[in-house]
């Protein structure tokens, strides 16, 4: 299987601003980013419709920009694997998009998503991914969390109906996140999203896009989160990056933090032969200049390939094989009743050794 690497246009277009400091890089043109990604090892990209089409553009302008993007995609040999919408930046969405307490804002959010779905369709995106960054709260007294879920449900149902009505070959996904920019977000983990999807009118059309950073922000094991999505047949996409646990959203370079977690995520995707695009949602550091942005792109892809190679080595290592065979043998040998009564047979669990082998393989000393 040929791996597809993808980046959000917003990652490369990110200008290095943070809550305490102004941008450190000049703006990049989205078309330039599309060809730049292709030139630096990506076969695909994701975007918010607004990354390409400024909000408020007239239809003719939208069509011109889409036409230019498609031309650029054909020339560069790169495709669009997911579209989304920025329903979080503008002040009108300050208290939520789909969950807002104002009906007119909820209508606006649905209209924004629906228009972005049309853009995604015109760009050939098979997935519309929703990260409702403002769909949360700081003041719990302001909204019942049950009402929030019902509003999210109504919104997702309407968007799924929009896709079905137009006959688009497009699926929907939820990208969960525990917090930030809101104090708490309602669709906070893969588990929450999966339970929520089961309540929708067309659950088959909706899946999840776990992000490593978001799982780590919640103190969760990202490989376990992704496993839940795979187990449920709902892994529609993935956002790869790095993140120190229990902090603000850092979106570090893939491989830039939690090496072992990254290894086990790659191992899961590779072992399961997951066919989807390996999509990066990491941000070049604020200290990076315009040229360095492309090193960052190549760094993320290279980190994935190196980890995939480590996975291959792990899977082919003789001692690892022996240890795993030993572990599997315990599963078939049922202890005789007398032994069980005396307590379980004493076993050397050898997990320390196994863990050290992972370490050695990762460090390149094996
Ligand atoms: C922010 C999210 C965001 C989404 C994007 C998807 O924390 O990771 O970048 O991935 O809006 O459309
Ligand atoms: Mg993301």
């Amino acid at each position: 299987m040929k791996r597809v690497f993808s980046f959000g246009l917003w990652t490369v277009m990110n200008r290095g601003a943070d809550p305490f400091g102004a941008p450190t890089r000049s703006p990049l043109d989205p078309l330039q980013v599309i060809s730049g990604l292709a030139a630096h090892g990506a076969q695909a990209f994701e975007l918010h419709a607004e990354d390409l089409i400024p909000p408020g553009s007239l239809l003719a302008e939208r069509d011109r920009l889409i036409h230019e993007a498609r031309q650029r995609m054909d020339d560069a040999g790169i495709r669009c694997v997911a579209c989304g919408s920025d329903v979080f930046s503008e002040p009108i969405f300050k208290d939520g998009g789909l969950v807002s307490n104002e009906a007119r804002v909820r209508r606006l959010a649905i209209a924004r998503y629906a228009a972005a779905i049309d853009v995604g369709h015109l760009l050939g995106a098979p997935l519309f991914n929703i990260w409702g960054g403002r769909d949360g709260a700081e003041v719990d007294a302001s909204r019942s969390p049950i009402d929030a879920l019902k509003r999210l449900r109504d919104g997702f149902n309407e968007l799924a109906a929009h896709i079905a009505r137009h006959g688009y070959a497009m699926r929907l996904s939820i990208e969960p996140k525990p917090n930030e920019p809101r104090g708490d977000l309602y669709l906070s983990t893969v588990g929450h999203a999966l339970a929520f999807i089961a309540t929708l009118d067309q659950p088959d059309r909706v899946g999840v896009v776990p992000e490593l950073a978001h799982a780590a922000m919640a103190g969760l094991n990202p490989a376990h989160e992704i496993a839940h999505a795979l187990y449920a047949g709902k892994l529609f996409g993935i956002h790869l990056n790095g993140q120190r646990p229990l902090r603000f959203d850092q979106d570090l370079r893939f491989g830039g933090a939690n090496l072992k977690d990254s290894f086990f995520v790659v191992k899961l995707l590779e072992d399961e032969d997951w066919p989807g695009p390996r999509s990066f949602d990491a941000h070049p550091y604020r200290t990076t200049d315009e040229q360095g942005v492309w090193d960052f792109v190549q760094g993320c892809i290279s980190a994935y390939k190196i980890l995939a190679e480590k996975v291959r080595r792990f899977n082919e290592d003789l001692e690892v094989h022996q240890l795993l065979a030993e572990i599997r043998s315990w599963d078939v040998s049922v202890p005789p009743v007398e032994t069980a009564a005396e307590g379980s047979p004493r076993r050397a669990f050898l997990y320390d050794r196994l863990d050290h082998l992972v370490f050695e393989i990762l460090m390149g000393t094996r």
Side-chain angles (χ1 to χ4, degrees), residues 314-328:
F314 176 89
N315 288 343
E316 287 178 2
D317 189 283
L318 277 185
E319 193 177 345
V320 168
H321 261 259
Q322 279 164 2
L323 292 179
L324 293 180
E326 159 84 10
I327 292 170
R328 272 193 298 275

Side-chain angles (χ1 to χ4, degrees), residues 10 129 131 175 209 211 214 239 241 251 281:
W10 66 87
N129 178 37
W131 170 65
E175 181 180 336
V209 172
E211 174 168 315
H214 300 175
H239 281 178
N241 49 16
D251 290 330
D281 187 3

